[in-house]
Amino acid sequence: METVFIKTPLGYTKIEGNHEGLSSISVLESQEKESLVIPQFLEDAVYQLREYFEGSRQKFDLRLNPEGTEFQKRVWKALLDVPYGKTLSYWDLSNILGDVKAIRAVAAANGKNPLWIVIPCHRIIGSDGSLTGYAGGVHRKKWLLDHENPVKQQSLF
């Protein structure tokens, strides 16, 4: 398993993976030393995450290899279909997966997402529009949603 640390607008990010794909991307609460050497297997992830934060990338094209239960993997796969700049509620996601009664299990799987930003769990919100349940902190969820859907100032003229 290879590891790299990069600095992002939301803090230091740890990226892990190998030839089978990315297994983990997480934002850290601690300050890390940014990696000077990027392992070959992680170059695309670093490049694409930087593009995302610069605002020039809306969709990732990376080989993913997250570890989880079959149910978690189904939820994470469904998250990949939530478009950039859009949100769904946990209820909506449960409905897409075919069982609205599984809303708590869907929320729990969403919270266990090991691939921060790339699997866009930040795009899932409460049914009332609230920014609930984000492992990276609600302030980061708000930042990501604002980044993906910035309010454009309308011209008066």
Side-chain angles (χ1 to χ4, degrees), residues 51-120:
E51 286 182 326
Y52 171 85
F53 283 113
E54 292 166 359
S56 62
R57 176 168 293 274
Q58 295 185 356
K59 189 166 177 73
F60 293 94
D61 182 21
L62 298 166
R63 187 172 183 177
L64 307 181
N65 190 28
E67 289 188 25
T69 67
E70 289 307 312
F71 180 77
Q72 288 171 331
K73 289 178 182 180
R74 277 187 54 224
V75 172
W76 301 336
K77 187 173 188 290
L79 289 170
L80 292 170
D81 293 331
V82 181
Y84 181 94
K86 303 291 182 193
T87 59
L88 290 177
S89 70
Y90 291 99
W91 184 89
D92 293 332
L93 187 56
S94 298
N95 195 35
I96 288 168
L97 290 166
D99 186 359
V100 293
K101 293 179 184 175
I103 191 168
R104 288 182 186 224
V106 166
N110 195 57
K112 296 284 187 188
N113 172 19
L115 291 165
W116 182 59
I117 298 177
V118 173
I119 296 178

Side-chain angles (χ1 to χ4, degrees), residues 7-71:
K7 188 174 182 182
T8 73
L10 294 174
Y12 285 86
T13 298
K14 180 180 180 181
I15 305 168
E16 296 178 294
N18 58 25
H19 67 281
E20 294 177 11
L22 293 174
S23 58
S24 174
I25 300 175
S26 56
V27 64
L28 306 173
E29 295 301 327
S30 62
Q31 186 170 337
E32 296 293 328
K33 188 172 184 180
E34 194 164 9
S35 299
L36 299 175
V37 176
I38 301 170
Q40 178 185 0
F41 298 122
L42 303 179
E43 287 175 349
D44 281 344
V46 169
Y47 182 76
Q48 290 184 34
L49 280 168
R50 287 185 175 148
E51 286 182 326
Y52 171 85
F53 283 113
E54 292 166 359
S56 62
R57 176 168 293 274
Q58 295 185 356
K59 189 166 177 73
F60 293 94
D61 182 21
L62 298 166
R63 187 172 183 177
L64 307 181
N65 190 28
E67 289 188 25
T69 67
E70 289 307 312
F71 180 77

